[in-house]
């Protein structure tokens, strides 16, 4: 029997890579998308099939993490054997500007899906996309599954609620529910407002003569950066394990934002100091200075380990953005995305 999975946040970086992974493994994949006046399925362009074809295995459904009744109905209709909950308001800096919305979507959105599982009685396995931002002002280095949490943003606080409500429903209702505590993971599909993609995109556009300046905030922040396609494989491995558990997913290496900048500019032969300026607007009200994970448990139990290292990750992103900036890989308009993907949703 064909396995069936449901992904919230399927149009995002992780969701699109996860959909590819599951389709390659023979799954029937269903994704939740929000109704909008613009179309945002560009990351799915290469994998979306016309659902009217007999062999179609990827379907998109309208839904919203703020609407519990729609989630409940969707679970009853799809009856997925696995649920990957990746949807969220996921930008840390923006969460300071819209804290209530972040709490509603990122925190309570998880509760709504968990309660829909409980109420519908659908037999499924649940993955919650937890975040290294829950560690925040770290109390030990590196951070593992046993490290106490100390979030430093509305986003981190919302993710912390989502983490603990997942644990609570696992223990209270015997659900197969896992938390993946993922550290920063990047790719050419990363949103343009996230610092890694902001850097790689700006470097490419400066090299192509399209931009002159890159504005950044705290360049001393240290992060554990991995490659997104490898991290979604860890998500899948968690739901194949014999029992539900929580896992840190990380490389165990840490690099500053400045190191990312230096490496990216060096790849195109430019001196970063001539192009980078600090803008105080990009500082957070409460900073997270250092995050580096200890993924020993995932290596031991899941057999997962990262392969793409920091410099290779930066190279992958810069080369992709160079192709975009030079017109070798054009960015699609919403209409082009629509016609290319032939989307049918309902």
């Amino acid at each position: 029997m064909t396995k069936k999975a449901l992904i919230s946040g399927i149009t995002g970086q992780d969701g699109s890579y996860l959909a590819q992974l599951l389709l390659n493994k023979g799954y029937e994949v269903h994704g939740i998308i929000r109704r909008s006046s613009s179309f945002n399925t560009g990351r799915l362009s290469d994998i979306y099939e016309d659902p009217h074809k007999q062999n179609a295995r990827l379907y998109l459904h309208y839904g919203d993490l703020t609407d519990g009744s729609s989630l409940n109905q969707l679970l009853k209709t799809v009856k997925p054997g696995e649920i990957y909950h990746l949807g969220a308001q996921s930008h840390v800096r923006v969460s300071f500007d819209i804290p209530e919305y972040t709490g509603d979507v990122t925190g309570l959105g998880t509760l709504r899906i968990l309660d829909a599982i409980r109420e519908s009685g659908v037999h499924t396995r649940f993955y919650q996309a937890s975040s290294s931002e829950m560690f925040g002002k770290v109390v030990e280095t590196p951070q593992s599954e046993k490290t106490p949490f100390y979030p430093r943003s509305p986003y981190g606080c919302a993710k912390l609620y989502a983490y603990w409500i997942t644990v609570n429903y696992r223990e209270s209702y015997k659900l197969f529910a896992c938390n993946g505590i993922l550290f920063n993971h990047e790719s050419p599909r990363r949103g343009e407002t996230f610092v890694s993609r902001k850097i790689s995109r700006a470097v490419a556009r400066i090299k192509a003569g399209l931009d002159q300046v890159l504005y950044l905030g705290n360049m001393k922040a240290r992060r554990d950066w991995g490659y997104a396609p490898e991290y979604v494989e860890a998500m899948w491995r968690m739901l194949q394990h014999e029992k539900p558990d929580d896992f840190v997913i990380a490389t165990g290496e840490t690099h500053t934002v400045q190191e990312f900048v230096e490496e990216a500019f060096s790849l195109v032969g430019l001196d970063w100091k001539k192009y980078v300026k600090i803008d105080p607007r990009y500082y957070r009200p409460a900073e997270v200075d250092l995050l580096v994970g200890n993924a020993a448990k995932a290596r031991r139990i899941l057999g997962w380990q990262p392969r793409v290292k920091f410099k290779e990750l930066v190279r992958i992103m810069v080369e992709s953005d160079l192709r975009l900036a030079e017109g070798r890989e054009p960015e699609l308009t919403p209409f082009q995305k629509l016609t290319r993907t032939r989307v049918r949703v309902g």
Side-chain angles (χ1 to χ4, degrees), residues 148-177:
F149 299 120
Y150 193 150
R152 296 269 283 172
S153 66
Y155 170 78
C157 292
K159 280 292 187 181
L160 187 55
Y161 175 86
Y163 171 92
W164 281 117
I165 201 65
T166 298
V167 173
N168 182 260
Y169 268 60
R170 179 171 71 209
E171 296 175 351
S172 299
Y173 304 111
K174 310 306 177 186
L175 299 185
F176 193 108

Side-chain angles (χ1 to χ4, degrees), residues 16-77:
S16 63
Y17 281 123
L18 178 62
Q20 280 185 309
L21 175 73
L22 296 178
L23 288 169
N24 289 340
K25 292 182 178 295
Y27 280 67
E28 177 180 304
V29 178
H30 295 255
I32 304 174
I33 62 172
R34 286 177 296 166
R35 179 67 179 88
S36 173
S37 59
S38 61
F39 220 71
N40 67 338
T41 60
R43 294 185 179 96
L44 301 175
S45 295
D46 293 333
I47 61 174
Y48 195 83
E49 301 171 284
D50 188 335
H52 295 295
K53 292 181 180 179
Q54 290 186 349
N55 63 345
R57 292 186 290 114
L58 175 59
Y59 304 86
L60 303 182
H61 307 268
Y62 285 131
D64 199 297
L65 294 174
T66 64
D67 183 2
S69 62
S70 70
L71 297 173
N72 196 311
Q73 185 58 47
L74 185 57
L75 261 61
K76 291 178 180 178
T77 301

Side-chain angles (χ1 to χ4, degrees), residues 137-332:
K137 190 175 181 179
V138 298
V139 299
E140 68 177 16
T141 300
Q143 295 88 54
S144 72
E145 295 82 3
K146 296 181 179 180
T147 301
F149 299 120
Y150 193 150
R152 296 269 283 172
S153 66
Y155 170 78
C157 292
K159 280 292 187 181
L160 187 55
Y161 175 86
Y163 171 92
W164 281 117
I165 201 65
T166 298
V167 173
N168 182 260
Y169 268 60
R170 179 171 71 209
E171 296 175 351
S172 299
Y173 304 111
K174 310 306 177 186
L175 299 185
F176 193 108
C178 300
N179 282 292
I181 307 173
L182 272 58
F183 282 64
N184 290 61
H185 46 289
E186 321 297 324
S187 77
R189 297 183 189 177
R190 189 59 142 152
E192 295 172 1
T193 60
F194 291 85
V195 68
S196 60
R197 181 73 194 290
K198 184 178 179 180
I199 294 168
S200 65
R201 185 172 184 270
V203 166
R205 291 179 61 82
I206 290 170
K207 180 64 175 180
L210 300 174
D211 286 340
Q212 291 77 44
V213 181
L214 167 60
Y215 292 99
L216 294 172
N218 181 13
M219 292 182 63
K220 295 181 180 179
R222 302 184 68 87
R223 293 293 184 269
D224 186 326
W225 273 302
Y227 188 41
E230 297 179 350
Y231 282 47
V232 300
E233 180 188 343
M235 300 175 188
W236 175 78
R237 286 175 180 256
M238 288 181 211
L239 294 199
Q240 312 316 305
H241 189 50
E242 59 187 20
K243 63 179 183 179
D245 206 345
D246 308 318
F247 296 90
V248 162
I249 303 298
T251 70
E253 296 182 8
T254 185
H255 299 272
T256 64
V257 173
Q258 181 170 319
E259 286 179 80
F260 200 113
V261 169
E262 292 172 351
E263 183 64 25
F265 274 95
S266 71
L267 288 170
V268 297
L270 296 177
D271 181 359
W272 69 272
K273 295 179 182 178
K274 296 180 179 179
Y275 303 98
V276 176
K277 296 185 182 299
I278 301 300
D279 188 334
R281 292 179 299 173
Y282 294 118
Y283 281 95
R284 302 178 187 178
E287 288 287 348
V288 172
D289 297 318
L290 169 65
L291 292 173
V292 56
N294 177 0
K297 181 179 176 181
R299 290 195 299 270
R300 183 178 73 255
I301 296 177
L302 302 178
W304 179 89
Q305 60 182 359
R307 298 176 295 277
V308 173
K309 301 298 184 181
F310 175 73
K311 289 189 176 183
E312 184 180 356
L313 171 64
V314 179
R315 179 187 57 77
I316 290 170
M317 296 182 67
V318 170
E319 289 181 352
S320 175
D321 277 321
L322 279 171
R323 291 192 294 271
L324 287 174
E326 295 169 358
R328 290 181 283 147
E329 194 173 283
E331 294 184 273
L332 302 179

Side-chain angles (χ1 to χ4, degrees), residues 93-154:
R93 179 61 189 85
V94 171
S95 75
F96 285 98
D97 300 324
I98 49 173
E100 183 178 343
Y101 177 78
T102 300
D104 190 14
V105 174
T106 306
L108 291 178
T110 303
L111 169 64
R112 293 184 183 106
I113 294 185
L114 286 166
D115 213 50
I117 295 171
R118 181 193 63 81
E119 197 279 331
S120 67
V122 172
H123 184 68
T124 190
R125 295 186 170 202
F126 176 79
Y127 171 84
Q128 162 59 19
S130 291
S131 169
S132 60
E133 287 288 333
M134 299 187 304
F135 294 120
K137 190 175 181 179
V138 298
V139 299
E140 68 177 16
T141 300
Q143 295 88 54
S144 72
E145 295 82 3
K146 296 181 179 180
T147 301
F149 299 120
Y150 193 150
R152 296 269 283 172
S153 66

